[in-house]
Amino acid sequence: MAESNPTPSLLPQPGKQNILVTSALPYANNVPHLGNIIGSVLSADVYARFSRARGFPTLYVCGTDEYGTATETQALAEGVDPATLCAKYNAIHREIYAWFKIDFDIFGRTPTPQHTEIVQQIFARLWENGFIEERETEQAYCPAHSSFLADRFVEGECSLCHAAGARGDQCDACGNLLDPLEPVEDTKAESGEDRKATGWLLNPRCKLDGATPERRKTKHLYLRLDALQPEVKDWLDNASNSKDWSSNAVAITQSWIHDGLKPRSITRDLKWGVPVPTNLPGLSGGDYDGKVFYVWFDACIGYPSITKCYTDRDDATGKNWELWWKNPDNVSLYQFMGKDNVPFHSIIFPGSQLGTREKWTQVHKLSTTEYLNYEGGKFSKSKSVGVFGNSAKDTGVPVDVWRYYLLSRRPETSDSEFSWREFVDANNNDLLKNLGNFCNRVVKFAHAKLNAVVPDYHAYKDADGGLKKYKEEVNALLQTYIENLKATKLRAGLTTVLSISGVGNKLLQDNKLSNQLLSEDPERCNAVVGLALNHLHLIANILFPYMPGTAEAILDQIGVQGSGNSRFSIPDTWNADTIPPGQALGEPKLLFSAIPAEKADEWREAFGGEELRKQKQIELEKAAAKKAQKEKEKERKRLKKLGLDPAQATAEKLQSLNITDGTGSQPSQEPSK
């Protein structure tokens, strides 16, 4: 991961296909698990590496999203201020992504002067253009410390399940959405957010000081997505390339459009955030002192603000960032995220861009994922269930194996499952027996029998065209690989890499590479080895986006000099002549080592085995209760349809039953006395 800016900063190049890549900004209040990693940063890393290897100027931008209620509540729980908390988790994220070899051009943060500047500029344009409205709402107010309270800062008893310690936005015990105060008629203005509370808090109290909150009126600002809907829809239909987005991104976006966009609240009563500017004509400063922008208004603006930190460094007046973000004719924007983040990237941020009336680079491709589950359950940091980013390395398994497994199970069209058994099998079969075997067999043979140099493979005439057909097959697969990667079908691309490696193994088998071939037909043997070494060179290049360390190791073994990303290039066509005769080879080394099968059980237990079993049992009990309730409701409807009273019918049924002693006989009766 790039920790310091290159000199000079990478800028778009005229006449070239300039690629801007972002992955959803991870929230800086927790440790990412494997689902978070495959859902955004790892997927984006593969595409960025692919684009660079294709020769396109490519900038990969990410960073921690640090503002918002969740940060303030977590800081309160840890007994630190939000800035200290975010610095801690930013460092944790950096360390994790560095281990996973995520090659950002910059991994920044949102609490910067650059971020405040650009967020407030966008808001000012929206205000001037009539896309912001003020609304008066009723909100919880703490009289003890004289402050309005965000929903999460109110706690109490859930009105639905009566669990203590429920939050003013949700009850963790029953999972229902809540309001912090009991609704009074329709006093709570339409927020436009896709949440509808089903309950509220009983005996509410302020999380900070325990005081009973009051109901008071306050003002908030709303983004008029309703007024922007025609423009957003037109952009989606005509300019966004949305037909090629991931299927779930299309479905979620169209659902929002179909339901009609509504004004959405973009301010909150918090201290930790970008302050609302109070120097705009018509905007009353007194109403918004102490209010900040809602994190999902400003989070996506983190992409351009972090870019400015990269391109313009400390130059507050610098405009180089606009060469990436206000240059739609020369820059294509690819964004990677889990499906939960889709509306903010497909509706809210594009709507904000359109509302400024400025020429922004807007998303060309949304590549989104479903959920990665864990061994039939769910990841849980609090219960130590599943593998989190900072514990993967504790297994001792090389990072490229982790990258391979996660990318091979990327949940592109449906939820996928992390399984320790499959993890071990993927290493031992996909990697060791296919790719590892091909590389080791070729390089080891050339070392032992051909003086550790690339043989002269030009002398052989290939009269039967066998090697030509082999090259044609590889080139056809190469085209499939390129098309898959261009479409961000990363799983299919990885499968194609293994198919190309499999063709390499077939080359060796069909031609019976051995001492006998070398002694009986040395020219053919040299041609096969030379072709196989060039094949390994191609594999290293197409494997580079997925498994960069393994790709480097292959290049080292076939004698390609240098280091770093500049060694890698993915061609349009494979000519099988990049590795010249006479080139000295490196030392043959095993690319992969076998993992004992019993490690799967060991790791499953180590990473939450007991808690996972409890989790599964709870889910089974919930499913059984749900099924029983469904059957009960079905029977109630049946009786009602027959004109029978369900309660009376049940009583009559019980009376008609012959209650036995469990053996099928009539119950015994005491003799009369």
Side-chain angles (χ1 to χ4, degrees):
M1 182 170 68
E3 292 295 333
S4 59
N5 295 340
T7 305
S9 300
L10 177 67
L11 297 176
Q13 298 178 28
K16 289 195 173 185
Q17 185 177 346
N18 299 287
I19 304 295
L20 177 58
V21 178
T22 72
S23 54
L25 305 184
Y27 212 59
N29 69 342
N30 56 28
V31 178
H33 58 65
L34 297 183
N36 304 136
I37 291 168
I38 185 57
S40 55
V41 294
L42 179 53
S43 296
D45 182 62
V46 171
Y47 190 79
R49 288 176 181 273
F50 166 74
S51 295
R52 293 176 187 131
R54 291 286 287 161
F56 307 140
T58 302
L59 185 70
Y60 179 15
V61 175
C62 192
T64 41
D65 173 14
E66 302 186 12
Y67 287 138
T69 312
T71 297
E72 288 200 11
T73 55
Q74 183 65 27
L76 188 66
E78 296 193 18
V80 297
D81 61 87
T84 301
L85 179 94
C86 290
K88 165 189 168 182
Y89 281 104
N90 178 273
I92 289 172
H93 279 262
R94 283 175 176 270
E95 182 180 355
I96 289 169
Y97 301 144
W99 188 80
F100 273 95
K101 297 186 181 295
I102 310 298
D103 195 16
F104 305 111
D105 288 285
I106 180 172
F107 186 81
R109 308 176 65 178
T110 49
T112 64
Q114 294 89 336
H115 186 68
T116 298
E117 173 198 10
I118 297 175
V119 170
Q120 292 183 341
Q121 284 177 352
I122 289 175
F123 171 76
R125 300 290 86 75
L126 291 167
W127 174 261
E128 292 166 3
N129 295 331
F131 294 115
I132 301 293
E133 69 179 22
E134 298 179 90
R135 289 189 179 187
E136 188 172 72
T137 68
E138 285 196 342
Q139 191 172 334
Y141 181 88
C142 179
H145 69 271
S146 303
S147 177
F148 283 99
L149 299 172
D151 290 352
R152 288 196 186 190
F153 279 92
V154 186
E155 295 181 338
E157 178 185 337
C158 174
S159 66
L160 300 174
C161 73
H162 299 285
R167 301 191 310 268
D169 60 346
Q170 182 173 326
C171 174
D172 288 337
C174 66
N176 283 294
L177 299 176
L178 303 178
D179 276 330
L181 303 175
E182 181 176 358
V184 178
E185 297 177 355
D186 191 23
T187 55
K188 188 171 183 180
E190 176 78 48
S191 73
E193 298 164 29
D194 61 338
R195 67 180 298 272
K196 291 184 179 179
T198 57
W200 56 88
L201 294 180
L202 303 174
N203 304 313
R205 62 185 180 276
C206 174
K207 182 181 178 71
L208 299 176
D209 51 36
T212 300
E214 301 173 354
R215 189 190 308 273
R216 290 196 185 183
K217 290 184 177 181
T218 184
K219 281 187 176 182
H220 279 286
L221 297 168
Y222 288 69
L223 175 63
R224 293 200 57 206
L225 289 174
D226 54 334
L228 287 162
Q229 174 155 344
E231 295 176 57
V232 172
K233 188 177 186 305
D234 181 68
W235 169 72
L236 286 167
D237 291 343
N238 300 305
S240 68
N241 196 48
S242 62
K243 65 182 183 300
D244 293 328
W245 293 0
S246 298
S247 58
N248 56 2
V250 174
I252 292 168
T253 302
Q254 290 304 325
S255 174
W256 274 55
I257 294 294
H258 179 268
D259 292 344
L261 302 184
K262 302 174 182 66
R264 189 176 182 90
S265 173
I266 61 169
T267 52
R268 290 292 186 272
D269 290 282
L270 299 169
K271 296 181 175 62
W272 183 242
V274 176
V276 176
T278 55
N279 58 348
L280 300 178
L283 187 65
S284 171
D287 290 329
Y288 300 102
D289 287 340
K291 295 186 190 291
V292 300
F293 287 112
Y294 178 35
V295 65
W296 271 118
F297 173 71
D298 83 90
C300 289
I301 303 172
Y303 301 127
S305 73
I306 291 171
T307 302
K308 181 171 183 177
C309 292
Y310 166 80
T311 58
D312 298 285
R313 319 280 174 95
D314 296 324
D315 181 3
T317 62
K319 298 293 183 183
N320 282 335
W321 69 274
E322 294 184 355
L323 296 175
W324 283 108
W325 282 99
K326 294 187 177 181
N327 192 4
D329 296 332
N330 295 296
V331 175
S332 296
L333 172 60
Y334 289 74
Q335 299 194 287
F336 293 80
M337 69 206 67
K339 67 179 179 181
D340 291 349
N341 292 332
V342 167
F344 309 104
H345 293 77
S346 68
I347 299 287
I348 296 174
F349 184 46
S352 300
Q353 290 176 312
L354 292 167
T356 65
R357 299 293 183 253
E358 296 173 335
K359 195 175 181 181
W360 284 88
T361 301
Q362 294 187 277
V363 62
H364 172 76
K365 172 79 173 183
L366 272 185
S367 184
T368 56
T369 59
E370 299 286 338
Y371 296 127
L372 177 71
N373 297 316
Y374 178 76
E375 288 281 358
K378 296 180 180 179
F379 289 90
S380 172
K381 184 66 176 176
S382 62
K383 297 179 180 178
S384 300
V385 174
V387 183
F388 285 73
N390 54 355
S391 57
K393 61 183 177 182
D394 296 341
T395 62
V397 176
V399 64
D400 270 15
V401 176
W402 281 101
R403 285 178 62 112
Y404 170 80
Y405 179 75
L406 291 175
L407 289 159
S408 70
R409 302 306 190 272
R410 184 177 186 246
E412 294 180 347
T413 57
S414 62
D415 291 355
S416 62
E417 193 83 15
F418 180 95
S419 160
W420 283 110
R421 183 67 59 196
E422 289 183 357
F423 178 79
V424 172
D425 288 345
N427 177 83
N428 294 349
N429 295 317
D430 297 357
L431 298 178
L432 181 61
K433 292 182 180 178
N434 183 342
L435 180 58
N437 176 70
F438 178 50
C439 180
N440 186 252
R441 187 176 174 188
V442 174
V443 178
K444 198 171 181 180
F445 184 90
H447 250 267
K449 308 299 179 183
L450 300 173
N451 300 316
V453 298
V454 180
D456 180 5
Y457 51 84
H458 294 306
Y460 182 68
K461 301 304 181 186
D462 192 27
D464 61 1
L467 300 187
K468 179 183 177 183
K469 290 178 182 178
Y470 163 81
K471 285 187 277 189
E472 289 172 349
E473 183 178 0
V474 171
N475 267 304
L477 287 169
L478 175 61
Q479 297 312 307
T480 299
Y481 166 87
I482 291 172
E483 290 305 312
N484 284 333
L485 269 289
K486 286 169 64 176
T488 68
K489 295 179 180 178
L490 306 185
R491 281 181 68 164
L494 186 52
T495 298
T496 308
V497 173
L498 291 186
S499 295
I500 291 175
S501 176
V503 173
N505 280 308
K506 188 173 183 295
L507 169 74
L508 305 186
Q509 293 164 3
D510 289 349
N511 288 277
K512 297 180 173 58
L513 181 63
S514 63
N515 292 338
Q516 183 178 352
L517 179 64
L518 179 60
S519 62
E520 293 179 357
D521 195 346
E523 286 189 356
R524 183 177 183 85
C525 183
N526 289 344
V528 169
V529 172
L531 194 56
L533 289 168
N534 275 282
H535 189 164
L536 280 172
H537 182 261
L538 174 66
I539 288 176
N541 283 284
I542 61 176
L543 188 65
F544 165 68
Y546 295 96
M547 304 173 68
T550 305
E552 293 246 2
I554 293 173
L555 290 191
D556 290 342
Q557 292 190 45
I558 62 177
V560 176
Q561 300 300 307
S563 62
N565 296 349
S566 61
R567 288 204 289 179
F568 296 96
S569 176
I570 298 173
D572 291 315
T573 303
W574 180 54
N575 294 318
D577 60 1
T578 307
I579 306 300
Q583 177 169 300
L585 299 175
E587 289 293 324
K589 297 178 182 178
L590 293 176
L591 295 178
F592 310 102
S593 300
I595 299 176
E598 58 269 20
K599 294 296 288 186
D601 295 331
E602 177 186 325
W603 286 327
R604 189 182 300 108
E605 287 302 308
F607 290 95
E610 181 61 30
E611 284 295 334
L612 185 62
R613 285 189 287 274
K614 291 179 183 177
Q615 188 183 101
K616 288 181 179 179
Q617 184 59 37
I618 291 171
E619 291 300 318
L620 286 173
E621 290 171 359
K622 284 183 178 179
K626 187 175 181 181
K627 183 178 179 181
Q629 182 61 34
K630 189 175 180 181
E631 290 296 325
K632 184 178 179 182
E633 181 65 16
K634 185 178 178 181
E635 178 65 8
R636 187 190 68 79
K637 289 181 178 179
R638 187 186 72 82
L639 293 172
K640 187 176 180 182
K641 191 174 181 181
L642 294 172
L644 301 175
D645 176 39
Q648 182 179 351
T650 302
E652 291 175 353
K653 186 175 181 181
L654 287 172
Q655 289 177 1
S656 68
L657 291 175
N658 288 325
I659 303 175
T660 71
D661 61 1
T663 64
S665 62
Q666 292 293 326
S668 60
Q669 297 180 351
E670 286 188 3
S672 299
K673 293 185 179 178

